[in-house]
Amino acid sequence: MRKNFLWILVGIVALAVGLQIRLYPYFHNTSSDAYQKGKLVVVGNMQRMLAQQVNAQFPNLPDVQKQALVMDKLNQVLHDHKDEINKAFDNAGKQIDAKDGDGQHYLQEIDSYYFLDLTENILETGDVSDQVKGSRYFNRRMLAPLGFLEPQTWHPYVGAWVYKLIKLFDPKVDVMTAVGWTPLVLLPLVIAAFLFTLRVLGCSWQMAFIASIFFVLAPVFLQRSSFGWYKNSIYLILFPLLSLGTAFAALKHIENLKKSLLYGIACALSMAIFAMFWPGWGFVLALLGASFVVIVITAFITRQARLKNLLILGATTFVSCVVMVGFLFTWGLLFQSLSDSWGELIKFVVPHFKDWPDLFLIVSELKTSSPMDVINFIGHPVVIVIALVALIYSSYAAVKAKRFFSDEIVILSVFFLATFNLTLQAERFSILALTPVILIFALGLEMIWGLRGQLKQSLQKYYFLFLCLLIIVPIVLSQLNIRSYIVTIYNPAWDRAMIKLRDQTPPNSIVNTWWAPGHFIKAVARRS
C-alpha cells in the first residue's frame, strides 16, 4: 500500500512539474510576430540607454568607438541577464498583442488549425464530415470544388470532448482556446502509461521519479504537448508507451499463458486504438513485430521451454490486432490503413522525383537532423550517456553470463535504432525516439541505483538525494528554453483577415492557397 502511494506521489509531482511549464503559452499569451516586435523595442531602448551612458562617460571618444563600446556593453547585458531579458521580450510582446488584438489565445503551429476545422464541424453537425467511411472522410473544403478524401482520426473528437469539459468551467470560452487544453488534459494519461511501463520493467519509485522529470521536460515532448499545441503528437508517446508496457508485461508473465495472453490482447487493443489517432501507426506495429521475431528466434536457438508460449502469444496478439483494426476501419479499408501508415513515413524519408517542387523542404520539422540534434530534441547528453551505458552494461552482463539479451533490451534496442535513424531523416519523428531512449535511460538509472550497496552505510541514505541533483538539468533548461519551443504563427493580423473573409465573402467562395493559410481559411474563415 505504501509503495503504491509513493508511485502515485511520483505521478502527481511529475504532472505538477509538467503542467507548470506547459502553461507558459497560456499565461504568456504572445504571438511570434508580437514577440519579435517586442524584442526590437526592448533592445532598442537598452541600446539608447547605453549610448547615453557612454556619451556621459566618454564625451570626447570618436563616434565609431562609442558605437563599438555600446554594442560590447549591449552584448554583455544580453548574456549576463538572459532570463530577465527574455521576460522583458515577452512582456513587451504582450503589450503589443494587447493593443493589436483582444487577448485571444491562438493555437500553436499550423496543422493545429486543420484539426480545429474538423472539431468545429463536429460541434456544428455531429461529425467531421457528412461522408465518413472507415479510415477515410470526405473533406469538402480541400481541393475545392471537388473535395478530397483524407485519413480519418479520432483527435478532433477528443478536442470536441475537451471543449465541452472546459465549457463547464468557463461557459464563455471559445473553441480555439478550449481545444488548446487538449494535450494538458491528456498529460495525466501519458504519465500514468510511463510509470506503468517503468513498474513492469522493475524500476524503483526513486528512479522512476528522476526519470519522470526528465521525461515530462524533454524538449520535443514539452513543445508538442504545451497549451495550444492541438496536433496529434501526444498520441505518438501515449500509445507506444502503452504498447511497450503491455508487451513487456506479456513477456514477463509468459510462463502463465492465460495472464500473458491478456496482456497481449491489451497490447493489440492499444495498437488498434493508436491506428485511429495516427496514420503511421503501422511503423510501431512493425517494430514490435520485428522485436518479437528476434525473441522467438533466440528462444528457438537456445531451446527455451517458453518457445511454444511465445508462438501462441505472438499469434494471438497479431490476430487480435488485425481483427480490432478491421472492426474499427471496416475490413475493406484495413489494407488502406496499412498503406496510409507506410506512406506516412515514405513521403518524408525516401527521396523520389515529383512533378511539383518539394514543398516539404521549407518545413523545418521535416528537415534532416544531426545526431546532436536528436540528442537535443530528446533532452540532454546526460540522458543519452546513461542510456548508452545501460545498453553497454547489459551487453557485457549478457556476454559474461553466456546468455542472450533480455526481452526488454531487445525490444528497446530495436525501437531505439529504428526511431533514431528515422529522426536523422526527418526531425518530426524525434517524438518517436523519445520513448525508447527515456525507458533505457530509466534502466540505466536503476543500474546506478543498484550500486548504493557498495557505499558506506553513512552515505547510502544520501545517495538518492545526490542522484536527485540530476533533475536540476531538465528543470533549468526547460525554464531557459521554453520560449524558443513556442510556435505561435497565427496572430491578430491573420485573425482580422480571416474574420473579414468569413464575414464579407459568399459561403461558397473558394480561396486559392495552400497549407498554412489554407488551414487558417478552413478553420477560421470557414471557406474552401
mmCIF file with all atom_site columns, all heavy atoms in Angstrom, residues 356-373:
data_model
loop_
_atom_site.group_PDB
_atom_site.id
_atom_site.type_symbol
_atom_site.label_atom_id
_atom_site.label_alt_id
_atom_site.label_comp_id
_atom_site.label_asym_id
_atom_site.label_entity_id
_atom_site.label_seq_id
_atom_site.pdbx_PDB_ins_code
_atom_site.Cartn_x
_atom_site.Cartn_y
_atom_site.Cartn_z
_atom_site.occupancy
_atom_site.B_iso_or_equiv
_atom_site.pdbx_formal_charge
_atom_site.auth_seq_id
_atom_site.auth_comp_id
_atom_site.auth_asym_id
_atom_site.auth_atom_id
_atom_site.pdbx_PDB_model_num
ATOM 1   N N   . TRP A 1 356 ? 5.797  18.349 -58.744 1.00 0.00 ? 356 TRP A N   1
ATOM 2   C CA  . TRP A 1 356 ? 5.841  19.633 -58.056 1.00 0.00 ? 356 TRP A CA  1
ATOM 3   C C   . TRP A 1 356 ? 7.171  19.776 -57.307 1.00 0.00 ? 356 TRP A C   1
ATOM 4   O O   . TRP A 1 356 ? 7.779  18.774 -56.947 1.00 0.00 ? 356 TRP A O   1
ATOM 5   C CB  . TRP A 1 356 ? 4.693  19.738 -57.039 1.00 0.00 ? 356 TRP A CB  1
ATOM 6   C CG  . TRP A 1 356 ? 3.364  19.929 -57.665 1.00 0.00 ? 356 TRP A CG  1
ATOM 7   C CD1 . TRP A 1 356 ? 2.593  18.979 -58.273 1.00 0.00 ? 356 TRP A CD1 1
ATOM 8   C CD2 . TRP A 1 356 ? 2.625  21.145 -57.750 1.00 0.00 ? 356 TRP A CD2 1
ATOM 9   N NE1 . TRP A 1 356 ? 1.429  19.514 -58.725 1.00 0.00 ? 356 TRP A NE1 1
ATOM 10  C CE2 . TRP A 1 356 ? 1.417  20.854 -58.421 1.00 0.00 ? 356 TRP A CE2 1
ATOM 11  C CE3 . TRP A 1 356 ? 2.866  22.455 -57.330 1.00 0.00 ? 356 TRP A CE3 1
ATOM 12  C CZ2 . TRP A 1 356 ? 0.454  21.820 -58.678 1.00 0.00 ? 356 TRP A CZ2 1
ATOM 13  C CZ3 . TRP A 1 356 ? 1.902  23.415 -57.586 1.00 0.00 ? 356 TRP A CZ3 1
ATOM 14  C CH2 . TRP A 1 356 ? 0.717  23.106 -58.251 1.00 0.00 ? 356 TRP A CH2 1
ATOM 15  N N   . PRO A 1 357 ? 7.612  21.015 -57.047 1.00 0.00 ? 357 PRO A N   1
ATOM 16  C CA  . PRO A 1 357 ? 8.779  21.196 -56.170 1.00 0.00 ? 357 PRO A CA  1
ATOM 17  C C   . PRO A 1 357 ? 8.488  20.601 -54.799 1.00 0.00 ? 357 PRO A C   1
ATOM 18  O O   . PRO A 1 357 ? 7.331  20.539 -54.380 1.00 0.00 ? 357 PRO A O   1
ATOM 19  C CB  . PRO A 1 357 ? 8.927  22.723 -56.086 1.00 0.00 ? 357 PRO A CB  1
ATOM 20  C CG  . PRO A 1 357 ? 8.163  23.258 -57.255 1.00 0.00 ? 357 PRO A CG  1
ATOM 21  C CD  . PRO A 1 357 ? 7.054  22.299 -57.521 1.00 0.00 ? 357 PRO A CD  1
ATOM 22  N N   . ASP A 1 358 ? 9.532  20.141 -54.110 1.00 0.00 ? 358 ASP A N   1
ATOM 23  C CA  . ASP A 1 358 ? 9.356  19.521 -52.787 1.00 0.00 ? 358 ASP A CA  1
ATOM 24  C C   . ASP A 1 358 ? 9.076  20.607 -51.761 1.00 0.00 ? 358 ASP A C   1
ATOM 25  O O   . ASP A 1 358 ? 9.978  21.193 -51.182 1.00 0.00 ? 358 ASP A O   1
ATOM 26  C CB  . ASP A 1 358 ? 10.604 18.727 -52.397 1.00 0.00 ? 358 ASP A CB  1
ATOM 27  C CG  . ASP A 1 358 ? 10.360 17.888 -51.155 1.00 0.00 ? 358 ASP A CG  1
ATOM 28  O OD1 . ASP A 1 358 ? 9.257  17.990 -50.593 1.00 0.00 ? 358 ASP A OD1 1
ATOM 29  O OD2 . ASP A 1 358 ? 11.261 17.148 -50.748 1.00 0.00 ? 358 ASP A OD2 1
ATOM 30  N N   . LEU A 1 359 ? 7.790  20.864 -51.531 1.00 0.00 ? 359 LEU A N   1
ATOM 31  C CA  . LEU A 1 359 ? 7.407  21.928 -50.600 1.00 0.00 ? 359 LEU A CA  1
ATOM 32  C C   . LEU A 1 359 ? 7.768  21.588 -49.162 1.00 0.00 ? 359 LEU A C   1
ATOM 33  O O   . LEU A 1 359 ? 7.827  22.465 -48.312 1.00 0.00 ? 359 LEU A O   1
ATOM 34  C CB  . LEU A 1 359 ? 5.896  22.200 -50.721 1.00 0.00 ? 359 LEU A CB  1
ATOM 35  C CG  . LEU A 1 359 ? 5.458  22.701 -52.095 1.00 0.00 ? 359 LEU A CG  1
ATOM 36  C CD1 . LEU A 1 359 ? 3.940  22.820 -52.152 1.00 0.00 ? 359 LEU A CD1 1
ATOM 37  C CD2 . LEU A 1 359 ? 6.087  24.036 -52.426 1.00 0.00 ? 359 LEU A CD2 1
ATOM 38  N N   . PHE A 1 360 ? 8.021  20.285 -48.884 1.00 0.00 ? 360 PHE A N   1
ATOM 39  C CA  . PHE A 1 360 ? 8.413  19.896 -47.525 1.00 0.00 ? 360 PHE A CA  1
ATOM 40  C C   . PHE A 1 360 ? 9.778  20.482 -47.142 1.00 0.00 ? 360 PHE A C   1
ATOM 41  O O   . PHE A 1 360 ? 10.113 20.577 -45.974 1.00 0.00 ? 360 PHE A O   1
ATOM 42  C CB  . PHE A 1 360 ? 8.494  18.372 -47.401 1.00 0.00 ? 360 PHE A CB  1
ATOM 43  C CG  . PHE A 1 360 ? 7.156  17.706 -47.395 1.00 0.00 ? 360 PHE A CG  1
ATOM 44  C CD1 . PHE A 1 360 ? 6.974  16.485 -48.036 1.00 0.00 ? 360 PHE A CD1 1
ATOM 45  C CD2 . PHE A 1 360 ? 6.066  18.287 -46.760 1.00 0.00 ? 360 PHE A CD2 1
ATOM 46  C CE1 . PHE A 1 360 ? 5.736  15.860 -48.030 1.00 0.00 ? 360 PHE A CE1 1
ATOM 47  C CE2 . PHE A 1 360 ? 4.830  17.666 -46.754 1.00 0.00 ? 360 PHE A CE2 1
ATOM 48  C CZ  . PHE A 1 360 ? 4.664  16.456 -47.390 1.00 0.00 ? 360 PHE A CZ  1
ATOM 49  N N   . LEU A 1 361 ? 10.567 20.873 -48.159 1.00 0.00 ? 361 LEU A N   1
ATOM 50  C CA  . LEU A 1 361 ? 11.911 21.381 -47.873 1.00 0.00 ? 361 LEU A CA  1
ATOM 51  C C   . LEU A 1 361 ? 11.882 22.638 -47.027 1.00 0.00 ? 361 LEU A C   1
ATOM 52  O O   . LEU A 1 361 ? 12.846 22.958 -46.338 1.00 0.00 ? 361 LEU A O   1
ATOM 53  C CB  . LEU A 1 361 ? 12.657 21.658 -49.184 1.00 0.00 ? 361 LEU A CB  1
ATOM 54  C CG  . LEU A 1 361 ? 13.068 20.419 -49.995 1.00 0.00 ? 361 LEU A CG  1
ATOM 55  C CD1 . LEU A 1 361 ? 13.687 20.851 -51.315 1.00 0.00 ? 361 LEU A CD1 1
ATOM 56  C CD2 . LEU A 1 361 ? 14.056 19.571 -49.218 1.00 0.00 ? 361 LEU A CD2 1
ATOM 57  N N   . ILE A 1 362 ? 10.769 23.400 -47.091 1.00 0.00 ? 362 ILE A N   1
ATOM 58  C CA  . ILE A 1 362 ? 10.719 24.656 -46.348 1.00 0.00 ? 362 ILE A CA  1
ATOM 59  C C   . ILE A 1 362 ? 10.119 24.465 -44.957 1.00 0.00 ? 362 ILE A C   1
ATOM 60  O O   . ILE A 1 362 ? 9.984  25.411 -44.207 1.00 0.00 ? 362 ILE A O   1
ATOM 61  C CB  . ILE A 1 362 ? 9.926  25.736 -47.113 1.00 0.00 ? 362 ILE A CB  1
ATOM 62  C CG1 . ILE A 1 362 ? 8.436  25.354 -47.217 1.00 0.00 ? 362 ILE A CG1 1
ATOM 63  C CG2 . ILE A 1 362 ? 10.500 25.961 -48.487 1.00 0.00 ? 362 ILE A CG2 1
ATOM 64  C CD1 . ILE A 1 362 ? 7.567  26.465 -47.777 1.00 0.00 ? 362 ILE A CD1 1
ATOM 65  N N   . VAL A 1 363 ? 9.736  23.226 -44.631 1.00 0.00 ? 363 VAL A N   1
ATOM 66  C CA  . VAL A 1 363 ? 9.152  22.947 -43.320 1.00 0.00 ? 363 VAL A CA  1
ATOM 67  C C   . VAL A 1 363 ? 10.250 22.448 -42.394 1.00 0.00 ? 363 VAL A C   1
ATOM 68  O O   . VAL A 1 363 ? 10.810 21.379 -42.612 1.00 0.00 ? 363 VAL A O   1
ATOM 69  C CB  . VAL A 1 363 ? 8.029  21.889 -43.427 1.00 0.00 ? 363 VAL A CB  1
ATOM 70  C CG1 . VAL A 1 363 ? 7.365  21.698 -42.073 1.00 0.00 ? 363 VAL A CG1 1
ATOM 71  C CG2 . VAL A 1 363 ? 7.002  22.316 -44.466 1.00 0.00 ? 363 VAL A CG2 1
ATOM 72  N N   . SER A 1 364 ? 10.556 23.209 -41.349 1.00 0.00 ? 364 SER A N   1
ATOM 73  C CA  . SER A 1 364 ? 11.724 22.906 -40.522 1.00 0.00 ? 364 SER A CA  1
ATOM 74  C C   . SER A 1 364 ? 11.664 21.518 -39.892 1.00 0.00 ? 364 SER A C   1
ATOM 75  O O   . SER A 1 364 ? 12.668 20.818 -39.834 1.00 0.00 ? 364 SER A O   1
ATOM 76  C CB  . SER A 1 364 ? 11.879 23.962 -39.427 1.00 0.00 ? 364 SER A CB  1
ATOM 77  O OG  . SER A 1 364 ? 10.753 23.973 -38.574 1.00 0.00 ? 364 SER A OG  1
ATOM 78  N N   . GLU A 1 365 ? 10.479 21.093 -39.446 1.00 0.00 ? 365 GLU A N   1
ATOM 79  C CA  . GLU A 1 365 ? 10.431 19.814 -38.732 1.00 0.00 ? 365 GLU A CA  1
ATOM 80  C C   . GLU A 1 365 ? 10.528 18.616 -39.673 1.00 0.00 ? 365 GLU A C   1
ATOM 81  O O   . GLU A 1 365 ? 10.556 17.480 -39.227 1.00 0.00 ? 365 GLU A O   1
ATOM 82  C CB  . GLU A 1 365 ? 9.158  19.719 -37.887 1.00 0.00 ? 365 GLU A CB  1
ATOM 83  C CG  . GLU A 1 365 ? 7.877  19.594 -38.672 1.00 0.00 ? 365 GLU A CG  1
ATOM 84  C CD  . GLU A 1 365 ? 6.708  19.167 -37.802 1.00 0.00 ? 365 GLU A CD  1
ATOM 85  O OE1 . GLU A 1 365 ? 6.836  19.214 -36.576 1.00 0.00 ? 365 GLU A OE1 1
ATOM 86  O OE2 . GLU A 1 365 ? 5.688  18.777 -38.364 1.00 0.00 ? 365 GLU A OE2 1
ATOM 87  N N   . LEU A 1 366 ? 10.590 18.861 -40.971 1.00 0.00 ? 366 LEU A N   1
ATOM 88  C CA  . LEU A 1 366 ? 10.753 17.765 -41.921 1.00 0.00 ? 366 LEU A CA  1
ATOM 89  C C   . LEU A 1 366 ? 12.167 17.701 -42.489 1.00 0.00 ? 366 LEU A C   1
ATOM 90  O O   . LEU A 1 366 ? 12.451 16.908 -43.366 1.00 0.00 ? 366 LEU A O   1
ATOM 91  C CB  . LEU A 1 366 ? 9.736  17.910 -43.066 1.00 0.00 ? 366 LEU A CB  1
ATOM 92  C CG  . LEU A 1 366 ? 8.269  17.877 -42.630 1.00 0.00 ? 366 LEU A CG  1
ATOM 93  C CD1 . LEU A 1 366 ? 7.353  18.063 -43.814 1.00 0.00 ? 366 LEU A CD1 1
ATOM 94  C CD2 . LEU A 1 366 ? 7.951  16.581 -41.909 1.00 0.00 ? 366 LEU A CD2 1
ATOM 95  N N   . LYS A 1 367 ? 13.049 18.546 -41.982 1.00 0.00 ? 367 LYS A N   1
ATOM 96  C CA  . LYS A 1 367 ? 14.425 18.543 -42.459 1.00 0.00 ? 367 LYS A CA  1
ATOM 97  C C   . LYS A 1 367 ? 15.230 17.471 -41.730 1.00 0.00 ? 367 LYS A C   1
ATOM 98  O O   . LYS A 1 367 ? 14.854 16.994 -40.677 1.00 0.00 ? 367 LYS A O   1
ATOM 99  C CB  . LYS A 1 367 ? 15.049 19.923 -42.257 1.00 0.00 ? 367 LYS A CB  1
ATOM 100 C CG  . LYS A 1 367 ? 14.391 20.994 -43.132 1.00 0.00 ? 367 LYS A CG  1
ATOM 101 C CD  . LYS A 1 367 ? 15.021 22.357 -42.920 1.00 0.00 ? 367 LYS A CD  1
ATOM 102 C CE  . LYS A 1 367 ? 14.360 23.403 -43.806 1.00 0.00 ? 367 LYS A CE  1
ATOM 103 N NZ  . LYS A 1 367 ? 14.908 24.757 -43.595 1.00 0.00 ? 367 LYS A NZ  1
ATOM 104 N N   . THR A 1 368 ? 16.361 17.123 -42.329 1.00 0.00 ? 368 THR A N   1
ATOM 105 C CA  . THR A 1 368 ? 17.220 16.109 -41.712 1.00 0.00 ? 368 THR A CA  1
ATOM 106 C C   . THR A 1 368 ? 17.838 16.642 -40.421 1.00 0.00 ? 368 THR A C   1
ATOM 107 O O   . THR A 1 368 ? 17.929 17.849 -40.205 1.00 0.00 ? 368 THR A O   1
ATOM 108 C CB  . THR A 1 368 ? 18.337 15.692 -42.682 1.00 0.00 ? 368 THR A CB  1
ATOM 109 O OG1 . THR A 1 368 ? 19.092 16.867 -43.050 1.00 0.00 ? 368 THR A OG1 1
ATOM 110 C CG2 . THR A 1 368 ? 17.761 15.059 -43.936 1.00 0.00 ? 368 THR A CG2 1
ATOM 111 N N   . SER A 1 369 ? 18.263 15.717 -39.566 1.00 0.00 ? 369 SER A N   1
ATOM 112 C CA  . SER A 1 369 ? 18.845 16.084 -38.272 1.00 0.00 ? 369 SER A CA  1
ATOM 113 C C   . SER A 1 369 ? 20.232 15.471 -38.147 1.00 0.00 ? 369 SER A C   1
ATOM 114 O O   . SER A 1 369 ? 20.524 14.440 -38.751 1.00 0.00 ? 369 SER A O   1
ATOM 115 C CB  . SER A 1 369 ? 17.975 15.572 -37.123 1.00 0.00 ? 369 SER A CB  1
ATOM 116 O OG  . SER A 1 369 ? 16.621 15.925 -37.303 1.00 0.00 ? 369 SER A OG  1
ATOM 117 N N   . SER A 1 370 ? 21.067 16.104 -37.347 1.00 0.00 ? 370 SER A N   1
ATOM 118 C CA  . SER A 1 370 ? 22.353 15.514 -36.988 1.00 0.00 ? 370 SER A CA  1
ATOM 119 C C   . SER A 1 370 ? 22.161 14.714 -35.709 1.00 0.00 ? 370 SER A C   1
ATOM 120 O O   . SER A 1 370 ? 21.161 14.906 -34.991 1.00 0.00 ? 370 SER A O   1
ATOM 121 C CB  . SER A 1 370 ? 23.388 16.616 -36.755 1.00 0.00 ? 370 SER A CB  1
ATOM 122 O OG  . SER A 1 370 ? 23.059 17.358 -35.582 1.00 0.00 ? 370 SER A OG  1
ATOM 123 N N   . PRO A 1 371 ? 23.079 13.801 -35.370 1.00 0.00 ? 371 PRO A N   1
ATOM 124 C CA  . PRO A 1 371 ? 22.951 13.059 -34.103 1.00 0.00 ? 371 PRO A CA  1
ATOM 125 C C   . PRO A 1 371 ? 22.823 13.993 -32.896 1.00 0.00 ? 371 PRO A C   1
ATOM 126 O O   . PRO A 1 371 ? 22.063 13.706 -31.962 1.00 0.00 ? 371 PRO A O   1
ATOM 127 C CB  . PRO A 1 371 ? 24.246 12.240 -34.048 1.00 0.00 ? 371 PRO A CB  1
ATOM 128 C CG  . PRO A 1 371 ? 24.594 12.012 -35.479 1.00 0.00 ? 371 PRO A CG  1
ATOM 129 C CD  . PRO A 1 371 ? 24.198 13.286 -36.183 1.00 0.00 ? 371 PRO A CD  1
ATOM 130 N N   . MET A 1 372 ? 23.557 15.125 -32.915 1.00 0.00 ? 372 MET A N   1
ATOM 131 C CA  . MET A 1 372 ? 23.466 16.060 -31.794 1.00 0.00 ? 372 MET A CA  1
ATOM 132 C C   . MET A 1 372 ? 22.095 16.718 -31.732 1.00 0.00 ? 372 MET A C   1
ATOM 133 O O   . MET A 1 372 ? 21.575 16.985 -30.640 1.00 0.00 ? 372 MET A O   1
ATOM 134 C CB  . MET A 1 372 ? 24.551 17.136 -31.922 1.00 0.00 ? 372 MET A CB  1
ATOM 135 C CG  . MET A 1 372 ? 24.794 17.897 -30.629 1.00 0.00 ? 372 MET A CG  1
ATOM 136 S SD  . MET A 1 372 ? 25.390 16.794 -29.318 1.00 0.00 ? 372 MET A SD  1
ATOM 137 C CE  . MET A 1 372 ? 24.778 17.621 -27.857 1.00 0.00 ? 372 MET A CE  1
ATOM 138 N N   . ASP A 1 373 ? 21.493 16.952 -32.914 1.00 0.00 ? 373 ASP A N   1
ATOM 139 C CA  . ASP A 1 373 ? 20.133 17.500 -32.944 1.00 0.00 ? 373 ASP A CA  1
ATOM 140 C C   . ASP A 1 373 ? 19.167 16.539 -32.247 1.00 0.00 ? 373 ASP A C   1
ATOM 141 O O   . ASP A 1 373 ? 18.319 16.958 -31.454 1.00 0.00 ? 373 ASP A O   1
ATOM 142 C CB  . ASP A 1 373 ? 19.670 17.726 -34.390 1.00 0.00 ? 373 ASP A CB  1
ATOM 143 C CG  . ASP A 1 373 ? 20.375 18.885 -35.062 1.00 0.00 ? 373 ASP A CG  1
ATOM 144 O OD1 . ASP A 1 373 ? 20.806 19.807 -34.341 1.00 0.00 ? 373 ASP A OD1 1
ATOM 145 O OD2 . ASP A 1 373 ? 20.500 18.867 -36.299 1.00 0.00 ? 373 ASP A OD2 1
#
